[in-house]
Every structure is written in structure tokens, then in C-alpha cells.
Amino acid sequence: NAGVTQTPKFQVLKTGQSMTLQCAQDMNHEYMSWYRQDPGMGLRLIHYSVGAGITDQGEVPNGYNVSRSTTEDFPLRLLSAAPSQTSVYFCATRRDSNAWAQYFGPGTRLLVL
Amino acid sequence: KQEVTQIPAALSVPEGENLVLNCSFTDSAIYNLQWFRQDPGKGLTSLLLIQSSQREQTSGRLNASLDKSSGRSTLYIAASQPGDSATYLCAVPYSGGGADGLTFGKGTHLIIQP
């Protein structure tokens, strides 16, 4: 039981490049979400999903796309990376609407040059 | 919009002391509040979750309290140890237009001196 896994751990991109941050969970949790963590700003919600096929925007969605084709996976796509997207990205899950405890992955550190 | 504030931003104390970390939130209509621990370069580990109907939760040397009416929560750490050194974050369910997720404070960076 690996919990929440994220790949890659670290990535360097050039401005304008695209990439996908992977998040996978083996707990059969319905809810998944993406956060970014920046110095002085704390963690902020990017996108979230309440089940396969259902996604919605959080506080800072611009520049990011998500999809949820399976319960297990919730990838985050950067279509055209910008230096402002340099951050640490965390994926989180929770079991369902009746369970509030959230479980976080180890994070992906992204540097956009 | 919900705002979460944590005081102090940083704290350094000698080993063995009891200490209190503070968290305040602006919208008292919350279902729960969670405290997390984050070690440098790592993800977040859930420490305690207090439901809105509860006043406190305990886990080992940690005790968290919740006062919804005043918009405050405290995390009490007893007999602090160097291994407690980390950043402690509090979070409440996101209240921005029905989105699911958490609103976080910026954290208290705690150093326990041996």
C-alpha cells in the first residue's frame, strides 16, 4: 500500500515547454486535489476532483489542466510553462465526502527557467 | 473568503519546554480543522483533525483545541524534543464557491534546541 505517489520528484523546464505531473493513489479515494506551495504564500488549491470524470477549479487554476479518467490517477498538465509556475506541487486525496482526513504525496519540485 | 493565520511564524525553544502554536480563521462556519507537520523537502503529515462538534483532540504529546466561535485553534506540544522540529500547518475546508480542498495557514517553523 503505497498511499499517494508523485512523479517526478524534481523537474527543470524551459519557459514554454509542457509537462505532466503525475499523481497516483492506491487507497480507492474518491477525492483528489492539487496544491502548489510557494514561500510566503503557503499552499494554494489549483484543481480538484470529486470522482472519475469530474474535475473543477480551485483558487489558482490558470495555466494548468487536469483530467480524471480513473479513480487512481489525477495528472496535472502545464501546457506552456512560465517562471511563475516554479513551485513545489502536492497532490492530496481524501476518501469521500464523509471523511475529512487528507493524505498528501511527497511533492514534485518544479523549476521553470 | 476564508483566511487562516498562524502565529508565531517561527519559534525556537530549548528541549523539554511545553509550547503552544496558534491558528486563527476568519469564517467560523467550518466543518473541521486539521493540523499538519511538514519536514524540510517533504510532504505533509496529518497530526490531528478536530471535527466542528469537538473541542479538542489528543495524540501522544500533542493536543489540539478548537473554538469555532472565536475562530481560533491551538496546538499544544508537551515536553518538546529535537525530533519535533518542523513546520506546523493548520488548515480548514476551502470555502471559496464550493470548491473541495483546504485553505492553509502559512505555518509556524519550529526549532527545538537540544
Side-chain angles (χ1 to χ4, degrees), chain A:
Chain A
N1 190 339
V4 183
T5 58
Q6 292 184 238
T7 56
K9 291 184 179 179
F10 179 69
Q11 183 73 44
V12 179
L13 289 179
K14 295 181 179 179
T15 297
Q17 287 184 319
S18 63
M19 80 161 293
T20 299
L21 281 64
Q22 302 290 346
C23 174
Q25 52 103 357
D26 61 1
M27 300 178 286
N28 201 33
H29 285 183
E30 288 186 12
Y31 286 38
M32 298 184 75
S33 51
W34 277 102
Y35 295 85
R36 59 178 290 173
Q37 185 176 35
D38 303 291
M41 298 294 292
L43 283 102
R44 293 177 292 169
L45 182 67
I46 305 172
H47 284 286
Y48 66 97
S49 169
V50 299
I54 306 170
T55 65
D56 209 339
Q57 298 181 349
E59 183 183 358
V60 288
N62 293 341
Y64 306 96
N65 278 357
V66 292
S67 60
R68 183 107 178 263
S69 57
T70 67
T71 299
E72 294 78 19
D73 301 295
F74 190 40
L76 179 71
R77 297 183 183 86
L78 284 69
L79 301 178
S80 179
S84 61
Q85 294 178 305
T86 293
S87 187
V88 182
Y89 292 86
F90 290 100
C91 177
T93 75
R94 70 179 177 109
R95 192 185 71 205
D96 54 42
S97 60
N98 295 316
W100 290 101
Q102 297 236 0
Y103 301 85
F104 281 77
T108 293
R109 187 174 297 271
L110 178 66
L111 174 62
V112 183
L113 301 175

